[in-house]
């Protein structure tokens, strides 16, 4: 099969013919119909991810390459002998966390599959989806069949960014109608948080505040549901005074989310939470500049600080319902649909640019592929 591979970190990806994956007994093989190009894939390619390093160390000399990609949807082509719930021909979406179901965190007493002690992740702990086919183990537990009303590109967009945003806003953040939410950092994940928050608040009141240094990102945030924007390029004091004084009139927000992982985004998210409010850390920390969290403020105001990672596969039907009922439209963030070769080049270009929307690698056989859509 054709796949985009790299043999050394930070070296060009090449399109090569590699063996089709083996069929897991407890899994499936899917024909990849759409897969997103995510900043996390770039981090892996740069050598920032220990899981990829561990995977490569364990392989024999015949497999000296790695395939990125973890936001994926497709069609089941083969089913393992221990797989009972899925069948060939099913249209499916694959979450990026494949939990085991048997560790201490997956046990019903805990039911925390997002922090599974033995989780597998396409594109990190195993070969990923920048390929014609993908092997998916543990499929009965993790893979979700798509409703007819949800397309492959929409589903692949859900696989990481939107599902991660859903857990941060709905499950860990516990946002309800009438509350105010602030999303600090509105790149791909942050914009998804804005859209999820808007889908929850609806017309029932509450503000969605977007904070970023990029005027272009803030403009997009307004397009997809933000009620207020704050330009962080004017400094932390400006961010805090705008949110605390001008927008919430001295109260602060019920929920603040750091969706970027920088020192300032974390600090501003904590500072802008109201008394008894919640701050969710969902953006992965970047660089060596550690945030200075005002723990005196956290204690005195009883601010909850909560981590968020991925989303449990069992919750996928909830977000698919938002899409099928058009309360959530992932297509708003799909910036371009490209070939595998083009997608590999775009991943490499993230050294120099930070795409605002989602780049989606689409199988040319799919009715959703449009060769005129490519901007390369």
């Amino acid at each position: 099969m054709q796949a985009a591979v790299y043999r050394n970190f930070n070296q060009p990806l090449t399109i090569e013919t590699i063996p089709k994956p083996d069929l897991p007994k407890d899994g499936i093989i899917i024909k990849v119909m759409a897969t997103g190009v995510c900043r996390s894939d770039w981090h892996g390619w740069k050598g920032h991810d220990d899981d990829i390093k561990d995977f490569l160390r364990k392989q024999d000399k015949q497999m000296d390459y790695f395939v990125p990609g973890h936001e994926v949807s497709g069609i089941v082509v083969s089913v393992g002998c221990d797989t009972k719930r899925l069948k060939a021909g099913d249209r499916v979406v694959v979450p990026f966390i494949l939990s085991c179901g048997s560790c201490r965190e997956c046990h019903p007493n805990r039911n925390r599959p997002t922090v599974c002690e033995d989780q597998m992740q396409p594109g990190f702990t195993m070969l990923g989806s920048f390929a014609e086919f993908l092997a998916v183990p543990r499929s009965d537990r993790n893979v979700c069949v798509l409703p007819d009303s949800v397309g492959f590109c929409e589903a692949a967009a859900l696989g990481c960014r939107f599902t991660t945003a859903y857990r941060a806003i709905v499950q860990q953040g516990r946002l309800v109608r009438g509350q105010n939410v602030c999303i600090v950092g509105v790149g791909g994940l942050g914009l998804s948080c804005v859209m999820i928050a808007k889908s929850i608040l609806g017309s029932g009141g509450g503000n969605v505040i977007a904070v970023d240094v990029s005027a272009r990102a803030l403009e997009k945030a307004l397009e997809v549901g933000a009620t207020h924007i704050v330009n962080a390029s004017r400094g932390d004091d400006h961010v805090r005074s705008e949110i605390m004084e001008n927008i919430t009139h001295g109260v602060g927000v019920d929920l603040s989310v750091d969706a970027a992982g920088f020192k300032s985004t974390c600090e501003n998210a904590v500072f802008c939470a109201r008394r008894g409010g919640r701050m969710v850390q969902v953006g992965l920390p970047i660089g060596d500049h550690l945030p200075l969290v005002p723990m005196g403020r956290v204690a005195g105001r009883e601010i909850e600080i909560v981590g968020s990672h991925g989303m449990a596969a069992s919750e996928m039907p909830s977000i698919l319902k938002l899409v099928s009922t058009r309360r959530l439209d992932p297509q708003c963030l799909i910036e371009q649909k490209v070939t595998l070769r083009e997608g590999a080049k775009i991943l490499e270009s993230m050294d120099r640019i930070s795409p605002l929307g989602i780049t989606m690698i689409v199988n040319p056989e799919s009715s959703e592929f449009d060769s005129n859509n490519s901007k390369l």
Side-chain angles (χ1 to χ4, degrees):
M1 68 174 183
Q2 293 288 290
V5 308
Y6 58 88
R7 286 181 167 76
N8 294 291
F9 296 119
N10 203 29
Q11 295 297 312
L13 283 88
T14 56
I15 307 302
E16 301 181 19
T17 299
I18 64 172
K20 188 175 176 181
D22 293 331
L23 175 62
K25 288 184 178 181
D26 64 345
I28 57 175
I29 291 177
I30 66 167
K31 183 176 187 178
V32 174
M33 300 305 289
T35 184
V37 181
C38 180
R39 174 66 66 175
S40 297
D41 298 314
W42 176 84
H43 279 294
W45 171 68
K46 292 290 286 185
H48 300 163
D49 191 275
D50 290 338
D51 286 332
I52 297 175
K53 296 175 184 176
D54 290 342
F55 174 89
L56 290 171
R57 274 196 294 266
K58 295 173 183 176
Q59 306 309 309
D60 58 33
K61 293 182 180 180
Q62 290 184 330
M63 185 180 288
D64 61 347
Y65 57 83
F66 195 75
V67 179
H70 64 286
E71 298 180 321
V72 59
S73 64
I75 300 171
V76 178
V77 295
S78 303
V79 178
C81 59
D82 294 337
T83 302
K84 308 301 180 186
R85 193 174 57 82
L86 300 165
K87 64 182 186 303
D90 282 345
R91 302 167 64 253
V92 297
V93 60
V94 180
F96 80 90
I97 296 176
L98 304 176
S99 62
C100 70
S102 57
C103 71
R104 289 170 294 190
E105 300 302 326
C106 288
H107 190 278
N109 289 345
R110 292 278 293 166
N111 193 28
R112 299 295 295 270
T114 55
V115 289
C116 169
E117 295 173 315
D118 187 30
Q119 61 187 260
M120 302 178 74
Q121 297 181 11
F124 298 99
T125 67
M126 53 188 279
L127 297 183
S129 54
F130 281 24
E132 289 184 84
F133 298 95
L134 175 70
V136 186
R138 304 171 176 175
S139 57
D140 274 350
R141 176 177 173 81
N142 293 289
V143 174
C144 187
V145 176
L146 292 175
D148 292 339
S149 57
V150 177
F152 289 116
C153 289
E154 291 174 308
L158 297 178
C160 175
R161 273 165 272 207
F162 278 98
T163 51
T164 299
Y166 183 88
R167 180 162 179 79
I169 297 293
V170 178
Q171 297 177 322
Q172 300 295 79
R174 307 192 300 277
L175 183 70
V176 296
R177 287 192 172 192
Q179 291 186 332
N180 293 320
V181 56
C182 172
I183 292 106
V184 189
V186 285
L189 174 57
L191 288 172
S192 300
C193 286
V194 169
M195 293 176 67
I196 293 290
K198 183 64 176 177
S199 74
I200 297 302
L201 296 178
S203 57
N207 294 311
V208 181
I209 306 164
V211 181
D212 205 281
V213 296
S214 165
R216 179 168 166 256
L218 293 173
E219 181 181 346
K220 185 66 175 179
L222 284 174
E223 289 178 17
V224 299
T227 57
H228 299 76
I229 56 173
V230 180
N231 194 323
S233 66
R234 298 177 62 180
D236 292 343
D237 289 342
H238 172 72
V239 171
R240 296 169 188 182
S241 64
E242 275 295 298
I243 295 172
M244 295 298 296
E245 298 170 20
N246 297 337
I247 299 176
T248 65
H249 308 293
V251 177
V253 295
D254 300 277
L255 171 63
S256 61
V257 178
D258 175 10
F262 294 104
K263 178 180 184 293
S264 62
T265 56
C266 175
E267 293 169 357
N268 285 332
V270 173
F271 194 94
C272 293
R274 69 178 297 167
R275 295 174 185 271
R278 295 172 302 285
M279 180 274 190
V280 172
Q281 184 67 47
V282 65
L284 296 177
I286 298 170
D288 298 324
H289 300 290
L290 301 178
L292 300 175
V293 179
M295 295 307 293
R297 186 181 183 90
V298 170
R301 295 181 176 229
E302 293 192 349
I303 297 169
E304 297 179 51
I305 299 180
V306 184
S308 188
H309 176 240
M311 189 185 79
S314 60
E315 296 295 329
M316 186 66 80
S318 299
I319 194 169
L320 285 171
K321 185 176 180 180
L322 290 177
V323 178
S324 62
T325 57
R326 299 306 161 194
R327 289 174 59 191
L328 179 67
D329 183 9
Q331 293 279 8
C332 290
L333 289 189
I334 297 177
E335 192 172 79
Q336 54 185 335
K337 299 176 182 179
V338 300
T339 65
L340 180 61
R341 188 178 302 277
E342 292 169 332
K345 292 300 180 186
I346 289 170
L347 186 147
E348 293 175 12
S349 75
M350 287 181 174
D351 268 346
R352 306 180 303 278
I353 61 173
S354 182
L356 188 57
I358 298 171
T359 293
M360 192 63 65
I361 298 171
V362 184
N363 189 316
E365 298 177 14
S366 170
S367 60
E368 298 178 45
F369 181 78
D370 181 0
S371 60
N372 296 321
N373 188 275
S374 174
K375 298 180 181 179
L376 298 185

